Amino acid sequence: MPKEFEKRPKSLVMKAKRPTGDAVKSAQLNILEGALNEQQLAAVTTDEPCALVLAGAGSGKTRVITYRVAYLLAQGVRPGNILLATFTNKAARMMLHRVEDLTNVPQKRIVGGTFHHIGHIFLRKYADLLGYSRDFTIIDEQDARQLMKVVRKEAPVNFTQKLFPSARLLLKMHSLSINTGQSLDELLVYRFPQFARFIDEIGRVITAYIERKLKRNLMDFDDLLTCFLRVLTEHADAAQAISGRFQHVLVDEYQDTNLVQAQTIKALSAEHGRVFVVGDDAQSIYSFRGANFENIRNFTDDYPNAKLFKLETNYRSTPQILELANEIMRGVPEEFRKLLRAVRSPAERPSVLVCHDAEEQAQFVAEQVLSLREEGIPLPEIGVLYRNHRNSLELELALSRAGIPYEIRGGLRFIEQAHVKDVVAFLSVLANPRDEVAFSRVLDMCEQVGSKTIARIFEKVMPASEPLKEFIKDGAPALARGAGRKSLEALAELFRKLDAMRKEGAGPSDLIRQVVEDFYDAHLLRTYENYAERREDLEQLAIYSQKYRSLRSFLTEVALNQGFTVAEAFAEDAAEEGRVSLSTIHQAKGLEWSAVFVTQMVDGNLPHRMCLNDPSQLEEERRLFYVAVTRAQRHLYLSYPQNTDTRDYLAFNRPSRFLQELPHTAYAHFVVEFSEDDGGSGD
């Protein structure tokens, strides 16, 4: 909660000569009453063995779970009998450090951390029950991918005839199957239909990966969860010893748990039945990672004696912002509905702004950021949010042109994303075939072409006066065999076509689309699980590049324009003033800013077009909108462009259905117009 609302209580442990019995409890209760509001206090001090605390945005969720641990210690529960599960080790350390301040109990005496961390602790003692030795090695994502590459290469699959998933994608399939409880068949049909016909081959590769890990005594991150759950469910003596150690199990961000984590919590509490979970069903937005929204909604079914608590006092936002947030979630079932109430004083209504196109929207954001800065709001107190990173391109350009330093939170700038850099590399080779960095990147995308083959290719073509022509016509693909040769032949044919198109006057946008259609689309499909979103990013890049007549001017813009990198010219100012935050809504969860812009509020973007026909996904998109809105403390701007310039025509955008559902009294409506003389200002 904001510092102005935070109460600093005394320690729950009496350092002087202590009274006993009722006097101690009365003193402790007085301290808690001074630190917590009525709803928080009821949750923290409950005697019910099972509790579900539904914590609305900005309502002090972390405070409640921290004080619950402190309260249990003050009631005489031993530190070693408490287990605190969080989603980041940083969150656990922060909570336990605060508990130590409150109780003088060293935080190391309480078992706390991520589910992976907790699983690791006990697998070091019980891994031999599963066929591992206790000195197993944990492999990170990169090592897991390398191992999967090995077993994939050994698979009896003709990679020249089948578009088979990459090692990265095979790992993603395996992980999602584990964490969602879906069979591989179901997963392929619903999430990866392009590979459904290869179910048998994919299953064999994944099985080989699992067997290889066990043989080599390796565990990946998913194994830390699944193997721990197996110990708890398949080995009664071990399960009783582990579960019997903990009298209280507390879980933070319960709405983000997956199936394995929810089952682990149930198994850990089997001996005593004391579970205290905190979360917000309205902020469940990570199903693409395997999080199961139903875990929090079904908590009272899984634990029939659980008591439900609600935290509805919001310490973050103004009443006007909360009015709009409450309207977004009006359709939530009564049992879970939370009506957020503000502590802050009333202020201006949120604004809905209609812009002509994405560039005008970006210009509005830049000018309004400068206006807010003049009003005394520091740049780090301003956040610009969007559904996908492809929505950031025009924003990055507009902020840079205005000299406004910014950072991309939790992600890369648009042009720095791997798939965007991949496609730009093709154009860089076309413009300058001696660019070995770009050429290597392109050759790396060829199936079964390794570093030795790339070195032989460079030895052959780089001494030539025209390296690209040498690559195309002089048999460089013959330096590889099998799948590698076919892939290089396809690449040579693509460059032959691109070279001809360029000579005929094709612009960057046509070249980009040709690269994607003839070559990169297949690479994208077999490499990334979010193929559709990345494909849309590349179309956005093609649309943006339409304004450049020549390939050279486009590549110069990519390399030098401040829209793609924070200019050194204002680096010193940025160090003093900080930066505006640009972020996807997913990455913004848990953060807050004084002023928040939510851009591209267009049907098909938020909600995403792929969610429109799936009621459960559509509701998750609604929750995503709710998360965006509740990041704002004082100022909230919701904007959308009326038009999008596509490949063949000018498209008219419909405002997001979530905007259309809001009552007009919940916001102020503006149409943004700029004059040609001075860049104008919004009306």
Side-chain angles (χ1 to χ4, degrees), residues 327-352:
E327 288 292 342
I328 295 171
M329 303 305 295
R330 182 168 291 279
V332 170
E334 184 66 34
E335 179 185 5
F336 292 90
R337 188 179 306 161
K338 298 175 291 297
L339 293 178
L340 298 178
R341 298 183 295 271
V343 172
R344 286 187 178 275
S345 301
E348 64 186 27
R349 287 186 296 169
S351 299
V352 171

Side-chain angles (χ1 to χ4, degrees), residues 32-104:
L32 289 171
E33 287 176 345
L36 305 171
N37 65 39
E38 185 177 338
Q39 290 180 328
Q40 293 170 337
L41 182 66
V44 165
T45 60
T46 181
D47 291 328
E48 298 292 337
C50 287
L52 168 60
V53 182
L54 292 176
S59 64
K61 165 187 66 67
T62 301
R63 194 175 186 81
V64 163
I65 200 166
T66 300
Y67 274 82
R68 177 63 177 177
V69 175
Y71 175 75
L72 293 174
L73 293 172
Q75 294 298 105
V77 178
R78 293 184 176 182
N81 295 142
I82 297 174
L83 177 67
L84 172 62
T86 63
F87 273 82
T88 66
N89 285 315
K90 180 180 178 182
R93 288 193 298 270
M94 182 271 292
M95 291 183 193
L96 294 179
H97 177 74
R98 184 70 179 122
V99 168
E100 184 175 333
D101 285 346
L102 288 167
T103 64
N104 295 324

